[in-house]
Amino acid sequence: MSLIRQIWLLLLATVLLAFAGSVLIVTNSARDLLQTQLRLKNSDNAASLALALSQQKGDAELMGLLMSAQFDTGYYRRVQLLSVDGKVVFDRLAEAQAAQAPGWFVAAVPIESKPGTAQVSDGWRALGQVVVESHVSYAHDALWSSSLRSALAMALVGLIAAGAGTLVVRRISRSLGTAVDQARALEHGEFLQVAEPPEPELRRLTRAMNSLVGRLRVTSSAQAEQIDALYRQANADALTGLSNRKHFLIQLTTALTREDGPAEGGLVLLRVMDLGGLNRQLGHAAVDRLLLTMAQSLRPYADQVRGCFLGRLNGSDFALCLPAAGVAHETALALAEALRLVLPSFGANAAVCIGAVEIDRDLPPSQVMATADTALARAELKGAFAVEMGSGPLGALAVLGEGAWRQRIRQALDRQCLQLMEFRVLNDRRQVVHLECPLRLQLNPDGPFEPAARWLPLAVRSRLTPDIDECALALAVKACEHDGQARCVNLSSSSLTDSGFASRLRALLWTAPQTARLIWLEMAETAAVEHFDLLQELGRQLRPTGIRFGIDHAGERLGQIPRLFEAGFDYVKLDASMVSGVGRDEQRALFVRSTVTLLHGMSIQVYAEGVTDEADAARLWECGIDGATGPWISSLDVAPGG
């Protein structure tokens, strides 16, 4: 039983006991008073009647008339005259009169009417004894009326006390509720600080909890900084902070193979011409500043364009991957003009050449890099700040046009030409944790179901992602109802800007409250970095339905998520570019292990995406990963019960 309920019961019991005790005491006191008054009345009336009878000189007829008159004028139950030898000389007895008080009250609170007696004499000669006894029905009526008034008064006092107690209990309940909410937030990995309540006992508790939250925040921040340092050590160039060649190629491979990666894009390679000669002419310090200037010129693209990433491939070569088609040549020209204005300040011979190529996800990464390298070599032959464009495929957007693609997406939604794919996420016992279910659309009536890479950029531009996400969730709920298997649906971060998106998803989930517990919802890490408050609010609105909420494609910017300790995520999926090669790279393994330790400390489960071989999977299990997915995972047999 909860503490508040116990307080309520104690308050109710106290008020009821006080009410019953007060009424009982008042009733008993009034009964004693009435009995005393009846006894005194009987005694006084008996004495008065005896005095009057003594004056009749023993005349029996006069004495009888006098006693009859006394009986008729009073509320007497009995008036009796006994002789000296105890014989009844005169006896008048009235039947008991019905009282207005209820019978149960009369039986529960009996009133005794003690008879009054007095001696009757004629001078020194004793004539007998008179007995007078009054009715008690009128006393019961008076007692009942008095008890009712007392009960009403006590009830009013009890209601006032209950009202005051209710205010106090509600205030305590609010303070306790705040403490409970803070504890539950800690349980879900949300490190919230709350205002201290006025109650001294709860104030001490809240102060201790706030102190604990503060220490956890400091610890988590320190661990996040350590993870950022480990990430840079494993994946970044020491001088510029850009991705090193190995990590850039992994990012490129992941982007070209991921279900929701860009369908088309561009690759721009930049080379500092005659880097060795510049080192001899300008010195290493000046050349380092030049390279940093190159990195700073490229960095705004990655900071401002989602899906864009950078790398330093070797001492003189830089790479910029663009997530959109048809802009590689334009970007290369813009970079050439910007660097033409900046680099000569380092020396007359400071210059770059640039090669660019349009890419398609159907091309292997090696072919993309080879085409870009060929373009870069041609630009180097032309000289300083030359730009060469490599031959590449013509993007589908350029062929069909943006309007045609938008119409096809809208028609696919209207026709319900949608399909959820299913990729298993397994734990270390080869049991299915859930099924990853990326959505595919049939853009042509007789064509294949296309992955998100083909249509997602246009859907984002056309603001169709909220409708697409709702359809995906509805399909997942229906599938879960059919087989009882948990499923994970990826939501687009652009849907967060739709004010009614969360309420519509919540209404959809409440239509199947039992099935909702099988649903996992996730958004990309970029949404947590760029729209943290909106993402956190979405989680708060949907989590009461029973779903699990997390982020995917995580790792590179995990330390940049503001207030990660307050996010309340249930799980995080590390991007394939973070875990690829972890089985043979100790630095990457250290980064993954530290990330898992940090997130587990926040009660957040950690999963790995894009696992391609057994060595990586084995190292990931050693690092404490809760589950993994990818091509190698899909090839495994599922364990019983999975």
Side-chain angles (χ1 to χ4, degrees), residues 555-576:
E556 184 174 354
R557 304 177 69 182
L558 192 61
Q560 301 176 24
I561 298 177
R563 307 191 309 279
L564 176 61
F565 42 80
E566 298 178 12
F569 297 132
D570 295 304
Y571 66 95
V572 164
K573 288 182 178 176
L574 297 181
D575 190 69

Side-chain angles (χ1 to χ4, degrees), residues 579-618:
V579 301
S580 179
V582 70
R584 293 166 293 277
D585 190 329
E586 193 58 40
Q587 287 186 334
R588 296 175 75 83
L590 179 59
F591 165 72
V592 172
R593 187 179 297 109
S594 300
T595 302
V596 170
T597 300
L598 169 66
L599 296 177
H600 279 177
M602 299 179 186
S603 300
I604 299 175
Q605 292 183 316
V606 187
Y607 300 90
E609 300 175 346
V611 179
T612 57
D613 59 56
E614 185 176 2
D616 286 354

